[in-house]
């Protein structure tokens, strides 16, 4: 066993850190306040290879491992969790599923621009009545011979208005339950697609979240991913990797808040000395550091299992539960360390506390991930 990062890993981590501090930090408070999508920054992330990190160079990606992805996600998320969710969805929910399961033609047409960051994608699974209960898909895609006809509504779609390509999960054989579900590649500009209103969110306000309506959308047969009925397994396998991305996002939010709490505790004086000299503060920082280290090890272990082509669904759910709960506890304590200053916008930690909450909800709530974990350990 070796806990050392390689030279290459350290370089990727540094590149992500430098990018986040130079390009994301300057406007992060304004983008949060006004809910502005970081389009220019996302395009630059594409140029630097952060949008298709694990995709093979043959398809326009960076050919990196999942450990590199975790390291980069942590650094980007330390500064701007809105940018990092766009990165996570594109890398893990869109590019990974396409590279692993799509046909050669689909990869050439869609994966290449997505991995190069020329496009970015969205993953449309959740519906008004099918969130955690993902098998209850109401959106239908019915075989009409040379195409499928798609009807229904998807909710809470990250990159819903800014994304160019959607991966849409829909029911093609209602009587077959989850075995009748398919996954499709859908272009946002096709007739019959309407982007609903932008959600006004508590956190990750720079990312765009919308409902998407499909009315008699003609989806070409060649845009179905995999065999007929593969869609639910496609979604579950894709989400197992996606949860490593969101766990790393949570890890980054936690470590960003922790670093700010440490810095503040060295500057702020109370009762005649810097507050870092008070045990009340020291113990908070000690707990934060310990939990963050544990969350980081869980993320890296899940990534390592994925890179070794071993089963990683259990590890990714464990990482997601622990890292997201660590993010919530750490950001709350970081606000507490800052006192009144923690409660105002310019000190960043109140944004981080709002951003942390979603990591316990999307890509499987903490409760859904505990279902996955308990099923695996009780097999
Ligand atoms: N790999 C492959 N197949 C899997 C799998 C996996 N990891 N997990 C489940 N399956 C298969 C099962 O084997 C089963 O297939 P068979 O019946 O053929 O054996 C099938 O999928 C159904 O599985 P279950 O019986 O376990 O289904 P369930 O209804 O009991 O619940 C669940 C499963 C885990 C709760 C699932 O519905 C789930 O993960 N829900 C949460 C959905 C979710 O994460 N949504 C996030 C939306 S995306 C998002 O948030 C993106 C964003 O914008 C940031």
């Amino acid at each position: 066993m070796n806990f050392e990062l390689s030279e290459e890993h350290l370089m990727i981590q540094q590149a992500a850190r430098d990018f986040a501090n130079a390009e994301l930090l300057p406007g992060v408070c304004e983008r949060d306040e006004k809910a502005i999508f970081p389009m220019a920054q996302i395009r630059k992330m594409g140029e630097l290879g952060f949008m298709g990190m694990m995709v093979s160079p043959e398809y326009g990606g960076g050919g990196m491992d999942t450990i590199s992805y975790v390291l980069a996600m942590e650094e980007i998320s330390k500064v701007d969790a809105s940018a990092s969710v766009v990165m996570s969805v594109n890398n893990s929910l869109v590019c990974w599923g396409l590279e692993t399961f799509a046909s050669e033609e689909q990869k050439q047409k869609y994966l290449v621009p997505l991995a190069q960051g020329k496009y970015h994608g969205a993953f449309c699974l959740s519906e008004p009545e099918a969130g955690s209960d993902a098998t209850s898909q109401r959106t239908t895609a019915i075989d009409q011979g040379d195409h499928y006809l798609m009807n229904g509504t998807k909710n809470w779609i990250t990159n819903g208005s800014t994304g160019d390509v959607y991966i849409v999960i829909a029911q093609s054989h209602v009587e077959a339950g989850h075995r009748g579900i398919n996954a499709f590649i859908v272009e946002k500009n096709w007739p019959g697609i309407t982007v609903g209103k932008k959600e006004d969110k508590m956190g990750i306000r720079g990312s765009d979240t919308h409902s998407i309506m499909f009315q008699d959308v003609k989806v070409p047969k060649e845009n179905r991913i995999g065999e007929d009925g593969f869609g639910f397994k496609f979604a579950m396998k894709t989400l197992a990797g996606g949860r490593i991305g969101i766990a790393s996002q949570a890890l980054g939010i936690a470590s960003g808040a922790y670093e700010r709490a440490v810095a503040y505790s060295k500057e702020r004086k109370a009762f005649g000395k810097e507050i870092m000299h008070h045990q009340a503060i020291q113990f908070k920082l000690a707990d934060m550091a310990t939990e963050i280290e544990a969350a980081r090890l869980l993320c890296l272990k899940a990534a390592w299992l994925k890179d070794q082509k071993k089963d990683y669904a259990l590890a990714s759910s464990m990482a997601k539960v622990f890292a997201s709960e660590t993010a919530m506890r750490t950001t709350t304590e970081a606000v507490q360390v800052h006192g009144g200053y923690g409660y105002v916008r310019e000190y960043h930690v109140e944004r981080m506390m709002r951003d942390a909450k979603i990591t316990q909800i999307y890509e499987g709530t903490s409760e859904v991930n505990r279902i996955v974990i308990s099923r695996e350990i009780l097999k």
Side-chain angles (χ1 to χ4, degrees), residues 284-358:
K284 284 188 196 304
L285 297 175
D287 285 346
M288 289 181 194
T290 306
E291 287 192 40
I292 289 168
E293 186 63 9
R296 187 176 291 117
L297 291 173
L298 284 171
C299 290
L300 290 171
K301 165 96 182 284
W304 179 82
L305 287 168
K306 183 163 172 286
D307 289 335
Q308 300 300 312
K309 313 264 182 270
K310 293 177 194 275
D311 199 349
Y312 56 88
L314 170 65
S316 76
S317 283
M318 285 179 166
K320 164 95 164 50
V321 167
F322 190 78
S324 62
E325 294 183 0
T326 295
M328 205 61 240
R329 279 191 294 268
T330 303
T331 53
T332 307
E333 287 294 64
V335 169
Q336 194 69 19
V337 168
H338 282 74
Y341 293 101
Y343 204 66
V344 297
R345 300 228 157 153
E346 68 189 278
Y347 282 76
H348 295 266
V349 286
E350 71 82 35
R351 184 187 74 252
M352 293 170 167
M353 184 176 166
R354 288 185 283 107
D355 288 348
K357 186 61 205 170
I358 191 60

Side-chain angles (χ1 to χ4, degrees), residues 85 88-89 93 123-126 130-136 156-159 178-179 204 209 232-240 243 246 311 313 358 361-365 368-369 371-372 375-376:
V85 71
S88 182
V89 167
L93 295 188
F123 185 77
C124 305
L125 171 69
S126 302
S132 290
D133 183 9
T135 55
S136 301
W156 316 117
I157 304 305
T158 304
N159 302 338
H178 69 265
R179 295 198 183 97
I204 55 161
T209 309
F232 193 73
K233 290 207 170 163
F234 169 87
M236 290 297 108
K237 284 173 184 279
T238 302
L239 277 166
R243 289 167 185 159
I246 299 303
D311 199 349
I358 191 60
I361 297 173
Y362 58 21
E363 297 203 26
T365 59
V368 158
N369 280 292
I371 294 176
V372 174
R375 283 182 183 171
E376 288 284 330

Side-chain angles (χ1 to χ4, degrees), residues 42-331:
I42 294 297
R43 290 286 174 249
K44 277 193 188 156
M45 284 165 72
E47 286 160 22
L48 291 171
F50 290 123
M51 296 301 279
M53 289 186 71
M54 295 166 288
V55 175
S56 140
E58 188 190 344
Y59 297 113
M64 290 174 235
D65 59 11
T66 316
I67 291 188
S68 305
Y69 175 53
V70 168
L71 298 173
M73 275 296 298
E74 179 180 352
E75 294 304 323
I76 303 282
S77 308
K78 267 187 198 177
V79 174
D80 187 347
S82 295
S84 76
V85 71
V86 181
M87 172 177 164
S88 182
V89 167
N90 201 67
N91 275 277
S92 358
L93 295 188
V94 179
C95 288
W96 183 84
L98 289 178
E99 184 164 31
T100 312
F101 299 111
S103 67
E104 186 56 31
E105 294 72 36
Q106 290 170 341
K107 288 183 196 177
Q108 292 299 343
K109 185 168 180 188
Y110 297 108
L111 177 59
V112 171
L114 283 161
Q116 289 172 336
K118 291 182 179 152
Y119 291 174
H120 65 274
F123 185 77
C124 305
L125 171 69
S126 302
E127 298 187 354
E129 291 175 79
S132 290
D133 183 9
T135 55
S136 301
Q137 295 287 302
R138 299 268 198 282
T139 297
T140 51
I142 305 301
D143 192 341
Q144 304 288 315
D146 64 336
H147 66 271
Y148 285 89
L149 203 59
M150 184 175 280
N151 280 287
T153 299
K154 294 290 176 180
N155 257 24
W156 316 117
I157 304 305
T158 304
N159 302 338
S161 75
T162 58
D164 307 276
V165 174
Y166 302 149
I167 305 293
V168 183
I169 312 299
Q171 180 57 267
S172 295
H173 310 278
V174 177
E175 69 295 344
H178 69 265
R179 295 198 183 97
I181 290 172
N182 277 314
F184 299 93
I185 307 167
V186 172
E187 296 177 27
K188 185 180 71 182
N189 295 329
W190 284 349
I193 297 178
T194 310
V195 177
K197 79 168 174 61
K198 182 172 172 169
E199 301 294 348
D200 188 10
K201 305 187 299 273
M202 170 196 278
I204 55 161
R205 289 174 53 75
S207 70
D208 70 310
T209 309
H210 294 257
S211 51
I212 315 282
M213 280 72 81
F214 300 87
Q215 191 178 4
D216 292 335
V217 178
K218 279 187 175 180
V219 181
K221 266 282 174 62
E222 63 268 22
N223 277 39
R224 189 185 76 209
I225 303 172
E227 294 296 307
D228 192 16
F230 178 61
F232 193 73
K233 290 207 170 163
F234 169 87
M236 290 297 108
K237 284 173 184 279
T238 302
L239 277 166
R243 289 167 185 159
I244 300 177
I246 299 303
S248 312
Q249 180 193 39
L251 166 66
I253 296 170
S255 51
Y258 163 75
E259 286 178 8
R260 285 184 181 276
V262 169
Y264 185 79
S265 74
K266 291 179 178 175
E267 285 165 16
R268 173 74 179 172
K269 286 192 178 148
F271 304 102
K273 53 188 177 185
E274 288 82 10
I275 60 171
M276 70 171 177
H277 296 297
H278 295 294
Q279 199 177 57
I281 301 297
Q282 290 168 351
F283 280 11
K284 284 188 196 304
L285 297 175
D287 285 346
M288 289 181 194
T290 306
E291 287 192 40
I292 289 168
E293 186 63 9
R296 187 176 291 117
L297 291 173
L298 284 171
C299 290
L300 290 171
K301 165 96 182 284
W304 179 82
L305 287 168
K306 183 163 172 286
D307 289 335
Q308 300 300 312
K309 313 264 182 270
K310 293 177 194 275
D311 199 349
Y312 56 88
L314 170 65
S316 76
S317 283
M318 285 179 166
K320 164 95 164 50
V321 167
F322 190 78
S324 62
E325 294 183 0
T326 295
M328 205 61 240
R329 279 191 294 268
T330 303
T331 53

